[in-house]
Every structure is written in C-alpha cells, then in structure tokens.
Amino acid sequence: MFSEKDTGTRRLLELGIRQKLRRPLHWTHSFMIALCILSPTTCITGLYSQGLIYGGPVVLVWGWVCAGSLHTLAAFSMSELSSAFPVSGGLYYWSFMLGGNYGPFVSWMVGWINLLGQVAIVAGSAFVFVEVLAACLFLFTRDVNNNGYYPSSGMQLYIFAGLLAVSAAVNSAPLKFLVRVAKVGALWQVLGTFTMVGVMLALTPRQQKWVWVLTDFRSAASYGITSNVYTVLIGLSGASWPLMGYDSVAHMMEETKSADSTAGKPMPYTLVASFVIGLAYLLALTLCIQDVQSITNPSGSLSKSTLLL
C-alpha cells in the first residue's frame, strides 16, 4: 500500500515501525503550517503591553533577541532528532527512545506537557484574537467623546467559543484543505506583517528615539513588584510564547515525503522566519507608540490592546 522507495518509509522499517499514513506533504507545507501555528504577530500583540509594563522596551526587544537565539538552537537539535526518528509521535517517541530505563515515564510526562501546551496555545491565540477584535470594534465605532461599542465579557466569551469551534473544524478537514489554509496564512504572516510595519512607520506622526527603544527599562513598582529580576522574568513571557509551537513539524513527519532527510528543515526555518517577522513588528510597534504613560498606567480604564491600537 505504501511505497518503500520513500527514504522516510525505509527509515521507519529500520526502526521496526510499519508505515500507516500517506505522505502527501512536501517539507515546505510543514514549514507553512508551523509558521501559522507560531503566528508571531498575534502573540506579540497579545502580550506586548505586558512586556512594556514589566521591564519596558529593553526587555521587549532584547528579550526577543535572546529568546529567538535560544529557541533556534533548540530547533536545530530537534531537527537532527527528527531526521534520526521520523515518527509522527515526535517528542513523545524521542523521549521514549532516548530516556533509557526511564523512557516510558519520560515519554508520559512529555506527552502530557505537550498536550497541555497545545491546549494553552490554541486557547491563548483565540483569546488574543477576541481582545484585538473588541479593540478594533471600539476604534471603528467611537465618536468625538471617545464613546464606542466595546463587546461585553459575555459577548467576548461567545466569540471565543465560536472561534475555537471554527479552529476545530478547520483542523478536522482533509489535509489538502489544511495545506491551502496554511498557504494563505503563511502569506499573510509575511506580506501582512511587513505591510503593517510599513504603514505604521509611514503614517505615525512622531516616532520614539532608537535609544529609548533599545535601552529604556521600566520598573513595575507601581504594580507592586519591587524586584527588577522578577519584573524581567514576567516581561520575557512576551518573547517566549510567540516562539513556541515549531515542534508541530514533528507530528507531521510520517506524512512528509522523505522525512528522514527533509522533515528537519522546517523547524529552524520557521524559527528564523518568525524571529525576523516578529522583530520587525516589535520594533515598529515600539517606535510608533505615542503615549507610553496611558498604556502603562495601572488605573487606565481601557484595555491595553485598545490603547496599543
């Protein structure tokens, strides 16, 4: 039923595993799907104000550089593992193979952590979308008195549930349809982001100075946190979350052609692309901020996403 000419299939046989899935995917398809999963612009938008409050621009920018570098090194290591063990189980299977006598326990732990992480990523991305949508509705409907429509918490919950239902439907669709969606999503991540960056830089009346963007540190004492180290750790969450999810490539390896030699490519490529896209978007946002105090003021009445937009 499955061709043994495919080197990935032969590698599975060497591992004592029978091929059970078809291999319609090229490695570029996996790259596009992974890029959509990371979606750096979505995650940065959701946690940008948190990074600005806890540490300020220096934590946002240099935290992104540090997190991106470390994640890229991890991606290179995982790409090597995916070539050696091109199995759909990905991290779960690798943990079993490399865990020695503790393999079953380690793979059980990795499996649960991975599942919880996937749930959190999907829910978090949907939550960010709802917040941004609510902010856009307010901006499009506000009048000269700064009054506008802002969805209630209940309405936002309904939108959130509907978005999760749509996500479930899309991911339950045939693989060919998913690839088409990924192509559109990846194109938007690249062209859409750089279009937004260009528009922001071109239309912003007054930009912040580069010295402020790269060096300004903001204490979180007004939020009750006196430790600068703890402040930085909280601010770094804005750099860590957008760069998570590239391991999704490992779950598609048995569906990728010649996975033993190609399935490892999408991981580092996805990280590098997400890093560049995210850095450009992050720098543009920080340069174009008009009123930093209104965003970081703990007594502000509007949501942070509304103020950012």
Side-chain angles (χ1 to χ4, degrees), residues 119-165:
V119 172
I121 288 175
V122 173
S125 299
F127 177 77
V128 168
F129 176 84
V130 173
E131 273 208 329
V132 173
L133 177 63
C136 289
L137 289 173
F138 174 81
L139 289 175
F140 292 148
T141 58
R142 68 177 178 177
D143 54 25
V144 293
N145 297 319
N146 207 32
N147 296 318
Y149 173 70
Y150 193 83
S152 64
S153 298
M155 179 58 67
Q156 291 187 44
L157 183 60
Y158 289 136
I159 299 174
F160 177 75
L163 187 60
L164 289 179

Coordinates of all heavy atoms in Angstrom, one line a residue, residues 119-165:
V119 N -3.1 22.8 24.1 CA -4.4 23.4 24.5 C -4.2 24.9 24.9 O -5.0 25.8 24.5 CB -5.0 22.6 25.7 CG1 -6.2 23.3 26.3 CG2 -5.4 21.2 25.3
A120 N -3.2 25.2 25.6 CA -2.9 26.6 26.1 C -2.6 27.5 24.9 O -3.1 28.6 24.8 CB -1.7 26.6 27.1
I121 N -1.9 27.0 23.9 CA -1.5 27.8 22.7 C -2.8 28.2 21.9 O -3.0 29.3 21.5 CB -0.5 27.1 21.8 CG1 0.9 27.1 22.5 CG2 -0.4 27.8 20.5 CD1 1.9 26.4 21.8
V122 N -3.6 27.2 21.7 CA -4.8 27.4 20.9 C -5.8 28.3 21.6 O -6.3 29.3 21.0 CB -5.6 26.0 20.6 CG1 -6.9 26.3 20.0 CG2 -4.7 25.2 19.7
A123 N -6.0 28.1 22.9 CA -6.9 29.0 23.7 C -6.3 30.4 23.8 O -7.0 31.4 23.7 CB -7.1 28.4 25.1
G124 N -5.0 30.5 24.0 CA -4.4 31.8 24.2 C -4.5 32.6 22.9 O -4.7 33.8 22.9
S125 N -4.2 31.9 21.7 CA -4.3 32.7 20.5 C -5.7 33.1 20.2 O -6.0 34.2 19.7 CB -3.8 31.7 19.3 OG -2.5 31.3 19.5
A126 N -6.7 32.3 20.5 CA -8.1 32.7 20.3 C -8.5 33.9 21.2 O -9.2 34.8 20.8 CB -9.0 31.5 20.6
F127 N -8.0 33.8 22.5 CA -8.2 34.9 23.4 C -7.7 36.2 22.9 O -8.3 37.3 23.0 CB -7.6 34.5 24.8 CG -7.8 35.6 25.8 CD1 -9.0 35.8 26.5 CD2 -6.7 36.4 26.2 CE1 -9.1 36.8 27.4 CE2 -6.8 37.4 27.1 CZ -8.1 37.6 27.7
V128 N -6.4 36.2 22.4 CA -5.8 37.4 21.8 C -6.6 37.9 20.7 O -6.8 39.1 20.6 CB -4.4 37.1 21.4 CG1 -3.8 38.2 20.6 CG2 -3.5 36.8 22.6
F129 N -7.1 37.0 19.8 CA -7.9 37.5 18.7 C -9.2 38.2 19.1 O -9.5 39.3 18.6 CB -8.3 36.3 17.8 CG -9.2 36.6 16.7 CD1 -8.7 37.1 15.5 CD2 -10.6 36.5 16.8 CE1 -9.5 37.5 14.4 CE2 -11.4 36.9 15.7 CZ -10.9 37.3 14.5
V130 N -9.8 37.7 20.1 CA -11.0 38.3 20.7 C -10.7 39.7 21.2 O -11.5 40.6 21.0 CB -11.7 37.4 21.7 CG1 -12.9 38.1 22.4 CG2 -12.2 36.1 21.1
E131 N -9.6 39.8 22.0 CA -9.3 41.1 22.6 C -9.0 42.1 21.5 O -9.4 43.3 21.6 CB -8.0 40.9 23.5 CG -8.4 40.6 24.9 CD -7.3 41.1 25.8 OE1 -6.1 41.1 25.4 OE2 -7.6 41.4 27.0
V132 N -8.2 41.7 20.4 CA -7.9 42.6 19.4 C -9.2 43.0 18.6 O -9.4 44.2 18.2 CB -6.9 42.0 18.4 CG1 -6.6 42.9 17.2 CG2 -5.6 41.8 19.2
L133 N -10.1 42.0 18.3 CA -11.3 42.3 17.7 C -12.2 43.3 18.4 O -12.7 44.2 17.9 CB -12.1 41.0 17.5 CG -13.5 41.1 16.8 CD1 -13.3 41.7 15.4 CD2 -14.2 39.8 16.8
A134 N -12.2 43.1 19.8 CA -13.0 44.0 20.6 C -12.4 45.5 20.5 O -13.1 46.5 20.5 CB -13.0 43.5 22.0
A135 N -11.1 45.5 20.5 CA -10.4 46.8 20.4 C -10.7 47.5 19.1 O -11.0 48.7 19.0 CB -8.9 46.7 20.6
C136 N -10.7 46.7 18.0 CA -11.0 47.3 16.7 C -12.4 47.8 16.6 O -12.7 48.8 16.0 CB -10.7 46.2 15.6 SG -9.0 45.8 15.4
L137 N -13.3 47.0 17.2 CA -14.7 47.4 17.1 C -14.9 48.8 17.9 O -15.7 49.7 17.4 CB -15.6 46.4 17.8 CG -15.8 45.1 17.0 CD1 -16.6 44.1 17.8 CD2 -16.6 45.4 15.7
F138 N -14.2 48.9 19.0 CA -14.3 50.2 19.7 C -13.7 51.3 18.9 O -14.3 52.4 18.8 CB -13.5 50.1 21.1 CG -13.4 51.4 21.8 CD1 -14.5 51.8 22.6 CD2 -12.3 52.1 21.7 CE1 -14.4 53.0 23.3 CE2 -12.2 53.3 22.4 CZ -13.3 53.8 23.2
L139 N -12.6 51.1 18.3 CA -11.9 52.2 17.5 C -12.8 52.6 16.3 O -12.9 53.8 15.9 CB -10.5 51.7 17.0 CG -9.5 51.6 18.1 CD1 -8.2 51.0 17.5 CD2 -9.2 52.9 18.7
F140 N -13.4 51.6 15.7 CA -14.2 51.9 14.5 C -15.5 52.6 14.8 O -16.2 53.2 13.9 CB -14.5 50.6 13.7 CG -13.2 50.0 13.0 CD1 -13.1 48.7 12.9 CD2 -12.2 50.9 12.6 CE1 -12.0 48.1 12.3 CE2 -11.0 50.3 12.1 CZ -10.9 49.0 11.9
T141 N -16.0 52.4 16.0 CA -17.3 53.0 16.4 C -17.3 54.2 17.4 O -18.3 54.8 17.7 CB -18.2 51.9 17.0 OG1 -17.5 51.4 18.2 CG2 -18.4 50.7 16.1
R142 N -16.1 54.5 17.8 CA -16.0 55.6 18.8 C -16.3 57.0 18.2 O -16.0 57.2 17.0 CB -14.7 55.6 19.5 CG -13.5 56.0 18.6 CD -12.2 56.1 19.4 NE -11.1 56.4 18.6 CZ -9.8 56.6 19.1 NH1 -9.6 56.5 20.4 NH2 -8.9 56.9 18.3
D143 N -16.8 57.9 19.0 CA -17.1 59.2 18.5 C -16.1 60.2 19.1 O -15.1 59.9 19.6 CB -18.6 59.6 18.9 CG -18.8 59.4 20.4 OD1 -17.9 59.5 21.1 OD2 -20.0 59.2 20.7
V144 N -16.5 61.5 18.9 CA -15.5 62.6 19.4 C -15.4 62.6 20.9 O -14.4 63.1 21.4 CB -16.0 63.9 18.8 CG1 -15.9 64.0 17.3 CG2 -17.5 64.2 19.3
N145 N -16.4 62.0 21.6 CA -16.4 62.0 23.0 C -15.7 60.7 23.5 O -15.8 60.4 24.7 CB -17.8 62.1 23.6 CG -18.4 63.4 23.3 OD1 -17.8 64.5 23.3 ND2 -19.7 63.4 22.9
N146 N -15.1 59.9 22.6 CA -14.4 58.7 22.9 C -15.3 57.6 23.5 O -15.0 56.8 24.3 CB -13.3 58.9 24.0 CG -12.2 57.9 23.8 OD1 -11.9 57.4 22.7 ND2 -11.5 57.6 25.0
N147 N -16.6 57.6 23.0 CA -17.6 56.6 23.3 C -17.7 55.7 22.1 O -17.9 56.2 21.0 CB -18.9 57.2 23.7 CG -18.8 58.1 25.0 OD1 -18.2 57.7 25.9 ND2 -19.4 59.3 24.9
G148 N -17.8 54.4 22.3 CA -17.9 53.5 21.3 C -18.4 52.1 21.8 O -18.5 51.9 23.0
Y149 N -18.6 51.2 20.8 CA -19.0 49.9 21.2 C -17.9 49.0 21.6 O -16.9 48.8 20.8 CB -19.8 49.2 20.1 CG -20.2 47.8 20.3 CD1 -21.1 47.4 21.3 CD2 -19.5 46.8 19.6 CE1 -21.4 46.1 21.5 CE2 -19.8 45.4 19.9 CZ -20.8 45.1 20.8 OH -21.1 43.8 21.1
Y150 N -17.9 48.5 22.8 CA -16.9 47.5 23.2 C -17.7 46.3 23.8 O -18.4 46.4 24.7 CB -16.0 48.1 24.4 CG -14.8 47.3 24.7 CD1 -13.7 47.5 23.9 CD2 -14.8 46.4 25.7 CE1 -12.5 46.7 24.2 CE2 -13.7 45.6 26.0 CZ -12.5 45.8 25.2 OH -11.4 45.1 25.4
P151 N -17.5 45.1 23.1 CA -18.2 43.9 23.5 C -18.1 43.6 25.0 O -17.0 43.7 25.6 CB -17.6 42.8 22.6 CG -17.0 43.6 21.5 CD -16.5 44.9 22.0
S152 N -19.2 43.2 25.6 CA -19.2 42.8 27.0 C -18.4 41.5 27.1 O -18.1 40.8 26.2 CB -20.6 42.6 27.5 OG -21.2 41.5 26.8
S153 N -18.1 41.2 28.4 CA -17.4 39.9 28.7 C -18.1 38.7 28.2 O -17.5 37.8 27.6 CB -17.1 39.8 30.2 OG -16.3 40.9 30.7
G154 N -19.4 38.7 28.3 CA -20.2 37.6 27.8 C -20.2 37.5 26.3 O -20.0 36.4 25.8
M155 N -20.3 38.6 25.6 CA -20.2 38.5 24.1 C -18.8 38.1 23.7 O -18.7 37.3 22.8 CB -20.5 39.9 23.6 CG -20.4 40.0 22.1 SD -21.5 38.8 21.2 CE -23.1 39.6 21.7
Q156 N -17.8 38.5 24.4 CA -16.4 38.1 24.1 C -16.3 36.6 24.3 O -15.6 35.9 23.5 CB -15.4 38.8 24.9 CG -15.3 40.3 24.5 CD -14.1 41.0 25.3 OE1 -13.0 40.5 25.4 NE2 -14.4 42.2 25.7
L157 N -16.9 36.1 25.3 CA -16.9 34.6 25.6 C -17.5 33.8 24.4 O -17.0 32.8 24.0 CB -17.5 34.3 26.9 CG -17.5 32.8 27.4 CD1 -16.1 32.4 27.5 CD2 -18.3 32.7 28.7
Y158 N -18.7 34.4 23.9 CA -19.3 33.7 22.8 C -18.5 33.7 21.6 O -18.4 32.7 20.8 CB -20.7 34.4 22.5 CG -21.7 34.2 23.5 CD1 -22.5 35.2 24.0 CD2 -22.0 32.9 24.1 CE1 -23.5 35.1 25.0 CE2 -22.9 32.7 25.1 CZ -23.7 33.8 25.5 OH -24.7 33.6 26.5
I159 N -17.8 34.8 21.3 CA -16.9 34.9 20.1 C -15.8 33.9 20.3 O -15.3 33.3 19.4 CB -16.4 36.4 20.0 CG1 -17.6 37.3 19.7 CG2 -15.4 36.4 18.8 CD1 -17.2 38.8 19.7
F160 N -15.2 33.9 21.5 CA -14.1 33.0 21.8 C -14.5 31.5 21.6 O -13.8 30.8 20.9 CB -13.7 33.2 23.3 CG -12.7 32.2 23.8 CD1 -11.3 32.4 23.4 CD2 -13.0 31.2 24.6 CE1 -10.3 31.6 23.9 CE2 -12.0 30.3 25.1 CZ -10.7 30.5 24.7
A161 N -15.7 31.1 22.0 CA -16.2 29.8 21.8 C -16.4 29.5 20.3 O -16.1 28.4 19.8 CB -17.5 29.5 22.6
G162 N -16.9 30.5 19.6 CA -17.2 30.3 18.2 C -15.9 30.1 17.4 O -15.7 29.3 16.5
L163 N -14.9 30.9 17.8 CA -13.6 30.8 17.2 C -12.9 29.5 17.4 O -12.3 28.9 16.5 CB -12.6 31.9 17.7 CG -11.3 32.1 17.0 CD1 -11.5 32.4 15.5 CD2 -10.5 33.2 17.7
L164 N -13.0 28.9 18.6 CA -12.5 27.6 18.9 C -13.2 26.5 18.1 O -12.6 25.6 17.6 CB -12.6 27.3 20.4 CG -11.7 28.1 21.3 CD1 -12.0 27.7 22.8 CD2 -10.3 27.9 21.0
A165 N -14.5 26.7 17.9 CA -15.3 25.8 17.0 C -14.8 25.8 15.6 O -14.6 24.8 14.9 CB -16.8 26.1 17.1

